[in-house]
Amino acid sequence: MFSQVITAGTYGIDGFKVTVEADISKGMPGITIVGLPAVAVKESKDRIKSAITNSLFNYPITKKIVINLSPADVKKEGSHYDLPIALAILSENVAMNNEKIKSTAFLGELSLDGKLRKIKASTAMILGLVKDENIKNVIIPKSNEKEASMIPDINVYTAEDINEVIEYLQDVRELTRVGDFSSYINIPSSKDFSDVKGSSAIKRAAQISAAGFHNLFMIGSPGSGKTMVASRMNTIMPPLNEDEYIEVSKIYSFLGEIPDDIVFRNRPFRSPHHTITYTSLIGGGAMAIPGEVVLSHSGILFMDEFLNFDKKLIQGLRQPIEDKFVTISRVNYKLTYPSNFLLVAATNPCPCGNFMNPLKECVCTEKKIHDYLQKASGPILDRMDIFVETTPIPYDDLTNNAAEELSSEKLKKGVYIAVQVQKERFKDLNINYNSQMNSKQIEYYCKLESDAEKLIQMFFKSSKLTARSYHRLLKVARTIADMEQSEKIKQNHIAEAISFRKTYSKYWEKI
């Protein structure tokens, strides 16, 4: 007897349709799985047999069973093939609704007692199945319910065990359909910019950075608020839009679980320690696992103690910052992951942390300071949009509770104004933010008033800017103008953008 059951596989973070074909006939008893199955799929034989018998179904123990996973030229990895293989085998002696089987895809790992266990990459696989017009429904384990709640254009149902799936296919029962994510309770963030005392210039830099997705570099002595500012930046950023949300969900689903923050459209915030390995930061390994630069896609990659990271890691950021994707090559395949993140870097100005600190004396030699700052190479600094110096917070600012601090809510208003302007501007383009403009788009959208053009011309000549730095300066000015809803870039917008280059000049042009 021949039967077919639809399921899905993954290639990187993208899903694709897989057809499980089963041929059950007379011959040497046993089960053979072909179609490039990985070790986890090959090991499923005994697990599936136990799940079927322990669920009180008859397993064709005297028959020869051949399972083919089509397409046969793509490697099949994961434990989610258990359920569709079991259903293909059971079709030998269990009557089921053929129309339902043809229009439904099945994903799930089986335990020995027939229970359905949580699987990885369910979001990517379901999204891969949406493309097939013949597939109307998908059945997944109950434990994958939350991450499947965001997928449109297909009915997703959950089941606790294989018995429930069989009863559904026999028209005996209805399965629970996955609801909308809004049914879950979103806990507001406990972090707010009002917690950061003083530091109005740093908050302004963070606001502009969030509004246009501009890379931010903070340098200053310990305890001057760098980490506090960075950890609150995603509280003023707009929620993930539909396309961003689906992409980010696919990435986290591939690794096993989508965090609650992502489910509620909050942007990812990743903060790797400076001892991280190159593979963990960029991605790779035997399974080509995405690294932190991919996990922070559409969100923030915060690198605290930036100059303590290995120089190889810092240099490794150049390509994903510029290209917005990471490609991992292996012998038989090549995977490309999206990596469009906002880099927020924070560092002390020297090993002891007190270089140019007005309150404490620096004990580092001039050579030590020079070598420390030189860990950030010219090409990396060239890819930063905004530089800001943080200084120790005065006692009066720390203790003055009467002073009204800039809250996340207030800063968010300016960000949202700029985001809406950019949304309208780029509605017909494949970009969302000013920082993503190429040179032609900069020329078209960054129109300067005459006095603004004179100012940037003077600065370009005096500071000997590179073409990349010049374009980044214009993009920052464009964002500042958008926050004021100004069609043209004015002199004050250019002046403020230039002010965020002073810190770079102070620390790197004189060493």
Side-chain angles (χ1 to χ4, degrees):
M1 180 180 173
F2 174 79
S3 61
Q4 287 185 333
V5 175
I6 304 300
T7 184
T10 56
Y11 186 78
I13 61 170
D14 295 314
F16 62 94
K17 178 184 173 183
V18 174
T19 303
V20 177
E21 301 173 337
D23 181 66
I24 304 174
S25 59
K26 292 181 180 179
M28 184 69 70
I31 178 171
T32 303
I33 302 177
V34 297
L36 283 183
V39 175
V41 182
K42 289 180 180 178
E43 289 180 346
S44 66
K45 301 175 186 178
D46 294 329
R47 189 166 62 241
I48 291 169
K49 180 180 177 181
S50 295
I52 289 174
T53 55
N54 288 330
S55 300
L56 305 180
F57 294 107
N58 291 324
Y59 185 87
I61 196 169
T62 61
K63 300 288 184 72
K64 176 185 177 183
I65 305 169
V66 178
I67 302 293
N68 178 46
L69 306 177
S70 176
D73 60 341
V74 182
K75 191 173 183 180
K76 316 301 185 308
E77 295 182 291
S79 58
H80 62 277
Y81 294 103
D82 288 7
L83 177 60
I85 292 174
L87 293 174
I89 294 171
L90 284 171
S91 62
E92 162 79 2
N93 50 33
V94 177
M96 291 180 275
N97 185 326
N98 285 329
E99 290 303 316
K100 275 189 175 180
I101 291 178
K102 289 178 182 178
S103 62
T104 306
F106 303 86
L107 306 168
E109 176 187 331
L110 289 171
S111 63
L112 297 182
D113 61 355
K115 291 279 194 301
L116 289 178
R117 287 182 171 169
K118 189 169 187 177
I119 59 173
K120 291 183 178 181
S122 62
T123 299
M125 289 187 283
I126 297 171
L127 286 168
L129 293 166
V130 169
K131 303 168 189 174
D132 193 316
E133 294 180 357
N134 297 320
I135 300 172
K136 308 298 181 186
N137 312 303
V138 180
I139 294 177
I140 61 172
K142 176 72 174 175
S143 49
N144 284 99
E145 177 180 21
K146 186 163 62 174
E147 61 192 72
S149 64
M150 46 67 69
I151 301 171
D153 305 324
I154 197 165
N155 299 317
V156 182
Y157 297 93
T158 63
E160 295 277 6
D161 53 43
I162 193 170
N163 281 296
E164 289 188 3
V165 178
I166 295 294
E167 288 173 4
Y168 167 79
L169 294 173
Q170 292 177 327
D171 299 322
V172 174
R173 71 179 296 154
E174 292 295 323
L175 295 178
T176 304
R177 184 177 175 181
V178 172
D180 188 79
F181 77 95
S182 59
S183 60
Y184 300 98
I185 299 173
N186 187 4
I187 301 173
S189 173
S190 60
K191 295 181 178 180
D192 195 281
F193 266 95
S194 60
D195 301 330
V196 184
K197 302 295 184 181
S199 310
S200 56
I202 310 169
K203 292 181 183 180
R204 174 63 173 172
Q207 183 188 36
I208 296 168
S209 172
F213 230 66
H214 300 291
N215 295 330
L216 173 65
F217 197 111
M218 294 182 286
I219 183 169
S221 54
S224 54
K226 301 184 294 294
T227 303
M228 284 190 74
V229 168
S231 64
R232 285 156 176 77
M233 279 186 63
N234 61 353
T235 66
I236 64 173
M237 298 177 78
L240 294 164
N241 63 37
E242 200 63 38
D243 292 338
E244 291 172 331
Y245 182 41
I246 288 173
E247 258 191 335
V248 172
S249 297
K250 282 164 63 177
I251 293 166
Y252 281 88
S253 177
F254 175 76
L255 297 178
E257 186 169 359
I258 302 177
D260 287 345
D261 278 355
I262 306 300
V263 173
F264 296 114
R265 312 289 178 108
N266 296 323
R267 294 184 179 273
F269 180 86
R270 306 293 298 186
S271 181
H273 192 262
H274 65 262
T275 56
I276 192 172
T277 63
Y278 187 90
T279 299
S280 297
L281 181 66
I282 307 299
M287 303 293 291
I289 299 296
E292 292 290 336
V293 297
V294 179
L295 294 175
S296 55
H297 175 64
S298 293
I300 295 172
L301 175 64
F302 175 49
M303 298 181 70
D304 201 5
E305 304 298 341
F306 186 69
L307 298 183
N308 285 335
F309 281 81
D310 189 279
K311 199 164 186 177
K312 181 185 175 184
L313 299 181
I314 295 175
Q315 294 304 315
L317 293 171
R318 290 165 58 178
Q319 183 264 325
I321 289 175
E322 205 65 30
D323 297 338
K324 313 298 183 188
F325 63 83
V326 170
T327 299
I328 301 173
S329 297
R330 291 295 175 264
V331 176
N332 297 319
Y333 60 94
K334 182 169 69 174
L335 297 177
T336 298
Y337 298 120
S339 182
N340 183 14
F341 57 89
L342 168 58
L343 175 61
V344 179
T347 186
N348 294 333
C350 66
C352 81
N354 293 314
F355 178 53
M356 295 196 185
N357 184 346
L359 304 180
K360 286 186 180 179
E361 185 179 352
C362 175
V363 297
C364 302
T365 63
E366 189 173 332
K367 185 179 185 308
K368 274 188 177 181
I369 296 169
H370 177 274
D371 292 345
Y372 188 75
L373 291 174
Q374 282 298 304
K375 288 183 180 180
S377 65
I380 278 293
L381 294 172
D382 223 20
R383 286 164 170 81
M384 304 304 294
D385 302 318
I386 298 172
F387 294 86
V388 65
E389 183 179 21
T390 62
T391 55
I393 301 169
Y395 176 80
D396 289 343
D397 286 349
L398 279 174
T399 57
N400 187 6
N401 295 323
E404 187 178 354
E405 297 292 346
L406 279 170
S407 66
S408 292
E409 195 61 38
K410 289 181 180 178
L411 292 171
K412 191 187 293 185
K413 290 177 182 177
V415 172
Y416 273 50
I417 288 170
V419 166
Q420 290 305 312
V421 172
Q422 292 168 88
K423 185 178 180 180
E424 180 62 27
R425 176 184 298 132
F426 303 130
K427 63 183 178 182
D428 298 323
L429 301 174
N430 193 30
I431 59 175
N432 297 314
Y433 303 100
N434 290 327
S435 63
Q436 299 166 355
M437 289 190 291
N438 58 34
S439 55
K440 286 187 178 179
Q441 291 161 347
I442 291 170
E443 187 178 342
Y444 183 79
Y445 292 113
C446 296
K447 302 294 185 185
L448 283 75
E449 291 187 350
S450 57
D451 53 353
E453 192 165 355
K454 289 177 184 176
L455 178 60
I456 198 168
Q457 185 180 12
M458 287 171 55
F459 184 73
F460 182 89
K461 291 178 179 178
S462 62
S463 298
K464 300 177 183 178
L465 295 180
T466 64
R468 182 185 285 118
S469 293
Y470 169 70
H471 285 148
R472 289 184 177 275
L473 185 66
L474 279 176
K475 288 188 277 190
V476 172
R478 178 68 272 172
T479 298
I480 296 169
D482 289 343
M483 292 171 73
E484 295 182 6
Q485 297 177 292
S486 173
E487 187 176 342
K488 280 194 171 185
I489 298 174
K490 299 177 182 179
Q491 188 180 47
N492 63 300
H493 305 145
I494 291 292
E496 187 170 10
I498 288 172
S499 72
F500 292 120
R501 296 283 307 180
K502 288 181 180 178
T503 298
Y504 169 79
S505 303
K506 180 176 179 180
Y507 284 93
W508 280 279
E509 289 185 353
K510 296 178 182 178
I511 61 171

